[in-house]
PDB file of all heavy atoms in Angstrom:
ATOM      1  N   TYR B  93     -33.558  -1.021   1.824  1.00  0.00           N
ATOM      2  CA  TYR B  93     -34.605  -1.964   2.275  1.00  0.00           C
ATOM      3  C   TYR B  93     -34.476  -3.345   1.642  1.00  0.00           C
ATOM      4  O   TYR B  93     -35.341  -4.183   1.827  1.00  0.00           O
ATOM      5  CB  TYR B  93     -35.991  -1.384   1.989  1.00  0.00           C
ATOM      6  CG  TYR B  93     -36.136  -0.897   0.570  1.00  0.00           C
ATOM      7  CD1 TYR B  93     -36.407  -1.795  -0.461  1.00  0.00           C
ATOM      8  CD2 TYR B  93     -35.951   0.436   0.260  1.00  0.00           C
ATOM      9  CE1 TYR B  93     -36.494  -1.353  -1.772  1.00  0.00           C
ATOM     10  CE2 TYR B  93     -36.033   0.881  -1.053  1.00  0.00           C
ATOM     11  CZ  TYR B  93     -36.310  -0.019  -2.060  1.00  0.00           C
ATOM     12  OH  TYR B  93     -36.382   0.411  -3.353  1.00  0.00           O
ATOM     13  N   ARG B  94     -33.382  -3.577   0.891  1.00  0.00           N
ATOM     14  CA  ARG B  94     -33.225  -4.919   0.320  1.00  0.00           C
ATOM     15  C   ARG B  94     -31.980  -5.630   0.831  1.00  0.00           C
ATOM     16  O   ARG B  94     -31.405  -6.465   0.148  1.00  0.00           O
ATOM     17  CB  ARG B  94     -33.189  -4.846  -1.211  1.00  0.00           C
ATOM     18  CG  ARG B  94     -34.567  -4.921  -1.813  1.00  0.00           C
ATOM     19  CD  ARG B  94     -34.548  -5.183  -3.284  1.00  0.00           C
ATOM     20  NE  ARG B  94     -35.557  -4.398  -3.967  1.00  0.00           N
ATOM     21  CZ  ARG B  94     -36.854  -4.746  -4.032  1.00  0.00           C
ATOM     22  NH1 ARG B  94     -37.280  -5.853  -3.462  1.00  0.00           N
ATOM     23  NH2 ARG B  94     -37.699  -3.960  -4.659  1.00  0.00           N
ATOM     24  N   VAL B 133     -37.079   4.378   3.603  1.00  0.00           N
ATOM     25  CA  VAL B 133     -38.073   4.268   2.537  1.00  0.00           C
ATOM     26  C   VAL B 133     -37.942   5.360   1.468  1.00  0.00           C
ATOM     27  O   VAL B 133     -38.017   5.068   0.277  1.00  0.00           O
ATOM     28  CB  VAL B 133     -39.497   4.232   3.145  1.00  0.00           C
ATOM     29  CG1 VAL B 133     -40.564   4.350   2.065  1.00  0.00           C
ATOM     30  CG2 VAL B 133     -39.700   2.947   3.948  1.00  0.00           C
ATOM     31  N   VAL B 135     -36.498   7.001  -1.217  1.00  0.00           N
ATOM     32  CA  VAL B 135     -35.394   6.516  -2.039  1.00  0.00           C
ATOM     33  C   VAL B 135     -34.244   7.523  -2.131  1.00  0.00           C
ATOM     34  O   VAL B 135     -34.482   8.709  -2.377  1.00  0.00           O
ATOM     35  CB  VAL B 135     -35.906   6.134  -3.442  1.00  0.00           C
ATOM     36  CG1 VAL B 135     -34.762   6.001  -4.436  1.00  0.00           C
ATOM     37  CG2 VAL B 135     -36.677   4.819  -3.374  1.00  0.00           C
ATOM     38  N   GLY B 163     -30.597   1.448  -4.885  1.00  0.00           N
ATOM     39  CA  GLY B 163     -30.916   0.726  -6.106  1.00  0.00           C
ATOM     40  C   GLY B 163     -30.535   1.489  -7.360  1.00  0.00           C
ATOM     41  O   GLY B 163     -30.071   2.625  -7.315  1.00  0.00           O
ATOM     42  N   ASP B 164     -30.746   0.827  -8.497  1.00  0.00           N
ATOM     43  CA  ASP B 164     -30.469   1.477  -9.784  1.00  0.00           C
ATOM     44  C   ASP B 164     -31.388   2.681  -9.964  1.00  0.00           C
ATOM     45  O   ASP B 164     -30.957   3.744 -10.429  1.00  0.00           O
ATOM     46  CB  ASP B 164     -30.643   0.483 -10.934  1.00  0.00           C
ATOM     47  CG  ASP B 164     -31.888  -0.390 -10.804  1.00  0.00           C
ATOM     48  OD1 ASP B 164     -32.035  -1.052  -9.757  1.00  0.00           O
ATOM     49  OD2 ASP B 164     -32.717  -0.381 -11.729  1.00  0.00           O
ATOM     50  N   GLY B 165     -32.640   2.527  -9.564  1.00  0.00           N
ATOM     51  CA  GLY B 165     -33.555   3.665  -9.679  1.00  0.00           C
ATOM     52  C   GLY B 165     -33.118   4.821  -8.795  1.00  0.00           C
ATOM     53  O   GLY B 165     -33.163   5.989  -9.200  1.00  0.00           O
ATOM     54  N   ALA B 166     -32.651   4.498  -7.604  1.00  0.00           N
ATOM     55  CA  ALA B 166     -32.229   5.535  -6.661  1.00  0.00           C
ATOM     56  C   ALA B 166     -31.112   6.398  -7.239  1.00  0.00           C
ATOM     57  O   ALA B 166     -30.975   7.573  -6.889  1.00  0.00           O
ATOM     58  CB  ALA B 166     -31.766   4.894  -5.355  1.00  0.00           C
ATOM     59  N   GLU B 169     -31.976   9.897  -8.479  1.00  0.00           N
ATOM     60  CA  GLU B 169     -32.394  10.970  -7.573  1.00  0.00           C
ATOM     61  C   GLU B 169     -31.264  11.982  -7.364  1.00  0.00           C
ATOM     62  O   GLU B 169     -30.097  11.611  -7.270  1.00  0.00           O
ATOM     63  CB  GLU B 169     -32.781  10.393  -6.206  1.00  0.00           C
ATOM     64  CG  GLU B 169     -34.087   9.610  -6.194  1.00  0.00           C
ATOM     65  CD  GLU B 169     -35.335  10.509  -6.095  1.00  0.00           C
ATOM     66  OE1 GLU B 169     -35.208  11.745  -6.183  1.00  0.00           O
ATOM     67  OE2 GLU B 169     -36.427   9.939  -5.939  1.00  0.00           O
ATOM     68  N   ASN B 193     -30.533  -4.117  -9.705  1.00  0.00           N
ATOM     69  CA  ASN B 193     -31.349  -5.291 -10.049  1.00  0.00           C
ATOM     70  C   ASN B 193     -32.145  -5.036 -11.324  1.00  0.00           C
ATOM     71  O   ASN B 193     -33.106  -5.738 -11.629  1.00  0.00           O
ATOM     72  CB  ASN B 193     -32.242  -5.692  -8.880  1.00  0.00           C
ATOM     73  CG  ASN B 193     -33.166  -4.561  -8.480  1.00  0.00           C
ATOM     74  OD1 ASN B 193     -33.367  -3.600  -9.224  1.00  0.00           O
ATOM     75  ND2 ASN B 193     -33.740  -4.667  -7.292  1.00  0.00           N
ATOM     76  N   TYR B 195     -34.340  -3.121 -12.377  1.00  0.00           N
ATOM     77  CA  TYR B 195     -35.691  -2.566 -12.378  1.00  0.00           C
ATOM     78  C   TYR B 195     -35.909  -1.638 -11.194  1.00  0.00           C
ATOM     79  O   TYR B 195     -35.374  -1.879 -10.116  1.00  0.00           O
ATOM     80  CB  TYR B 195     -36.749  -3.685 -12.337  1.00  0.00           C
ATOM     81  CG  TYR B 195     -36.950  -4.349 -13.674  1.00  0.00           C
ATOM     82  CD1 TYR B 195     -36.208  -5.468 -14.019  1.00  0.00           C
ATOM     83  CD2 TYR B 195     -37.847  -3.828 -14.609  1.00  0.00           C
ATOM     84  CE1 TYR B 195     -36.366  -6.066 -15.267  1.00  0.00           C
ATOM     85  CE2 TYR B 195     -38.006  -4.416 -15.858  1.00  0.00           C
ATOM     86  CZ  TYR B 195     -37.262  -5.524 -16.171  1.00  0.00           C
ATOM     87  OH  TYR B 195     -37.416  -6.106 -17.407  1.00  0.00           O
ATOM     88  N   ALA B 196     -36.662  -0.607 -11.429  1.00  0.00           N
ATOM     89  CA  ALA B 196     -37.211   0.232 -10.371  1.00  0.00           C
ATOM     90  C   ALA B 196     -38.727   0.054 -10.490  1.00  0.00           C
ATOM     91  O   ALA B 196     -39.347   0.644 -11.371  1.00  0.00           O
ATOM     92  CB  ALA B 196     -36.820   1.682 -10.556  1.00  0.00           C
ATOM     93  N   HIS B 262     -41.445  -6.494  -7.254  1.00  0.00           N
ATOM     94  CA  HIS B 262     -40.859  -5.389  -6.495  1.00  0.00           C
ATOM     95  C   HIS B 262     -41.225  -5.497  -5.017  1.00  0.00           C
ATOM     96  O   HIS B 262     -40.374  -5.476  -4.134  1.00  0.00           O
ATOM     97  CB  HIS B 262     -41.340  -4.053  -7.060  1.00  0.00           C
ATOM     98  CG  HIS B 262     -41.026  -2.890  -6.178  1.00  0.00           C
ATOM     99  ND1 HIS B 262     -39.745  -2.447  -5.983  1.00  0.00           N
ATOM    100  CD2 HIS B 262     -41.827  -2.101  -5.418  1.00  0.00           C
ATOM    101  CE1 HIS B 262     -39.762  -1.419  -5.146  1.00  0.00           C
ATOM    102  NE2 HIS B 262     -41.009  -1.197  -4.780  1.00  0.00           N
TER     103      HIS B 262
ATOM    104  N   GLU C  29     -43.527   8.013 -12.299  1.00  0.00           N
ATOM    105  CA  GLU C  29     -42.902   6.717 -12.060  1.00  0.00           C
ATOM    106  C   GLU C  29     -43.951   5.616 -12.211  1.00  0.00           C
ATOM    107  O   GLU C  29     -44.980   5.649 -11.541  1.00  0.00           O
ATOM    108  CB  GLU C  29     -42.297   6.687 -10.650  1.00  0.00           C
ATOM    109  CG  GLU C  29     -41.150   7.684 -10.480  1.00  0.00           C
ATOM    110  CD  GLU C  29     -40.920   8.099  -9.029  1.00  0.00           C
ATOM    111  OE1 GLU C  29     -41.462   7.456  -8.113  1.00  0.00           O
ATOM    112  OE2 GLU C  29     -40.212   9.106  -8.816  1.00  0.00           O
ATOM    113  N   LEU C  58     -36.573   7.691 -11.729  1.00  0.00           N
ATOM    114  CA  LEU C  58     -37.031   7.850 -10.347  1.00  0.00           C
ATOM    115  C   LEU C  58     -36.497   9.156  -9.768  1.00  0.00           C
ATOM    116  O   LEU C  58     -35.424   9.172  -9.144  1.00  0.00           O
ATOM    117  CB  LEU C  58     -36.528   6.661  -9.518  1.00  0.00           C
ATOM    118  CG  LEU C  58     -37.325   6.229  -8.303  1.00  0.00           C
ATOM    119  CD1 LEU C  58     -36.642   5.055  -7.624  1.00  0.00           C
ATOM    120  CD2 LEU C  58     -37.623   7.324  -7.340  1.00  0.00           C
ATOM    121  N   GLU C  60     -38.391  12.846  -8.339  1.00  0.00           N
ATOM    122  CA  GLU C  60     -39.594  13.685  -8.240  1.00  0.00           C
ATOM    123  C   GLU C  60     -39.351  15.107  -8.706  1.00  0.00           C
ATOM    124  O   GLU C  60     -40.196  15.712  -9.374  1.00  0.00           O
ATOM    125  CB  GLU C  60     -40.114  13.683  -6.804  1.00  0.00           C
ATOM    126  CG  GLU C  60     -40.754  12.368  -6.390  1.00  0.00           C
ATOM    127  CD  GLU C  60     -39.772  11.239  -6.209  1.00  0.00           C
ATOM    128  OE1 GLU C  60     -38.571  11.496  -6.015  1.00  0.00           O
ATOM    129  OE2 GLU C  60     -40.199  10.066  -6.282  1.00  0.00           O
ATOM    130  N   GLN C  82     -45.820   9.293  -6.962  1.00  0.00           N
ATOM    131  CA  GLN C  82     -46.367   7.991  -6.591  1.00  0.00           C
ATOM    132  C   GLN C  82     -47.095   8.007  -5.248  1.00  0.00           C
ATOM    133  O   GLN C  82     -48.138   7.366  -5.103  1.00  0.00           O
ATOM    134  CB  GLN C  82     -45.248   6.950  -6.598  1.00  0.00           C
ATOM    135  CG  GLN C  82     -45.730   5.547  -6.790  1.00  0.00           C
ATOM    136  CD  GLN C  82     -44.615   4.654  -7.291  1.00  0.00           C
ATOM    137  OE1 GLN C  82     -43.701   4.299  -6.545  1.00  0.00           O
ATOM    138  NE2 GLN C  82     -44.659   4.298  -8.559  1.00  0.00           N
ATOM    139  N   PHE C  86     -43.701  11.747  -0.987  1.00  0.00           N
ATOM    140  CA  PHE C  86     -42.447  11.958  -1.715  1.00  0.00           C
ATOM    141  C   PHE C  86     -42.468  13.214  -2.567  1.00  0.00           C
ATOM    142  O   PHE C  86     -41.485  13.534  -3.242  1.00  0.00           O
ATOM    143  CB  PHE C  86     -42.126  10.732  -2.576  1.00  0.00           C
ATOM    144  CG  PHE C  86     -42.156   9.453  -1.801  1.00  0.00           C
ATOM    145  CD1 PHE C  86     -42.973   8.403  -2.184  1.00  0.00           C
ATOM    146  CD2 PHE C  86     -41.385   9.308  -0.655  1.00  0.00           C
ATOM    147  CE1 PHE C  86     -43.018   7.226  -1.442  1.00  0.00           C
ATOM    148  CE2 PHE C  86     -41.422   8.138   0.092  1.00  0.00           C
ATOM    149  CZ  PHE C  86     -42.239   7.097  -0.302  1.00  0.00           C
ATOM    150  N   TYR C  89     -39.723  16.195  -2.347  1.00  0.00           N
ATOM    151  CA  TYR C  89     -38.508  16.234  -3.175  1.00  0.00           C
ATOM    152  C   TYR C  89     -38.642  17.279  -4.285  1.00  0.00           C
ATOM    153  O   TYR C  89     -37.636  17.704  -4.846  1.00  0.00           O
ATOM    154  CB  TYR C  89     -38.270  14.883  -3.849  1.00  0.00           C
ATOM    155  CG  TYR C  89     -37.666  13.782  -3.018  1.00  0.00           C
ATOM    156  CD1 TYR C  89     -38.349  13.236  -1.934  1.00  0.00           C
ATOM    157  CD2 TYR C  89     -36.419  13.247  -3.343  1.00  0.00           C
ATOM    158  CE1 TYR C  89     -37.799  12.189  -1.201  1.00  0.00           C
ATOM    159  CE2 TYR C  89     -35.869  12.201  -2.614  1.00  0.00           C
ATOM    160  CZ  TYR C  89     -36.566  11.674  -1.544  1.00  0.00           C
ATOM    161  OH  TYR C  89     -36.035  10.630  -0.834  1.00  0.00           O
TER     162      TYR C  89
HETATM  163  C1  TPP E   1     -38.400   9.344  -3.139  1.00  0.00           C
HETATM  164  C2  TPP E   1     -39.225   8.160  -3.406  1.00  0.00           C
HETATM  165  N1  TPP E   1     -39.927   8.083  -4.556  1.00  0.00           N
HETATM  166  C3  TPP E   1     -40.677   7.002  -4.827  1.00  0.00           C
HETATM  167  C4  TPP E   1     -40.765   5.955  -3.930  1.00  0.00           C
HETATM  168  C5  TPP E   1     -41.632   4.726  -4.252  1.00  0.00           C
HETATM  169  N2  TPP E   1     -40.730   3.609  -4.564  1.00  0.00           N
HETATM  170  C6  TPP E   1     -40.358   2.725  -3.621  1.00  0.00           C
HETATM  171  S1  TPP E   1     -39.207   1.633  -4.199  1.00  0.00           S
HETATM  172  C7  TPP E   1     -39.223   2.343  -5.730  1.00  0.00           C
HETATM  173  C8  TPP E   1     -38.323   1.797  -6.803  1.00  0.00           C
HETATM  174  C9  TPP E   1     -36.899   1.781  -6.362  1.00  0.00           C
HETATM  175  O1  TPP E   1     -36.105   1.226  -7.373  1.00  0.00           O
HETATM  176  P1  TPP E   1     -34.573   0.943  -7.106  1.00  0.00           P
HETATM  177  O2  TPP E   1     -33.920   2.178  -6.589  1.00  0.00           O
HETATM  178  O3  TPP E   1     -33.998   0.356  -8.344  1.00  0.00           O
HETATM  179  O4  TPP E   1     -34.534  -0.109  -5.923  1.00  0.00           O
HETATM  180  P2  TPP E   1     -35.174  -1.572  -5.945  1.00  0.00           P
HETATM  181  O5  TPP E   1     -36.537  -1.455  -5.345  1.00  0.00           O
HETATM  182  O6  TPP E   1     -35.189  -2.029  -7.362  1.00  0.00           O
HETATM  183  O7  TPP E   1     -34.266  -2.408  -5.098  1.00  0.00           O
HETATM  184  C10 TPP E   1     -40.108   3.410  -5.787  1.00  0.00           C
HETATM  185  C11 TPP E   1     -40.362   4.225  -6.984  1.00  0.00           C
HETATM  186  C12 TPP E   1     -40.024   6.073  -2.734  1.00  0.00           C
HETATM  187  N3  TPP E   1     -40.069   5.104  -1.794  1.00  0.00           N
HETATM  188  N4  TPP E   1     -39.262   7.167  -2.505  1.00  0.00           N
END
Side-chain angles (χ1 to χ4, degrees):
Chain B
Y93 50 81
R94 272 194 220 279
V133 171
V135 164
D164 44 305
E169 289 278 8
N193 59 16
Y195 282 91
H262 168 69
Chain C
E29 295 156 13
L58 208 181
E60 288 71 21
Q82 204 159 73
F86 308 124
Y89 281 65

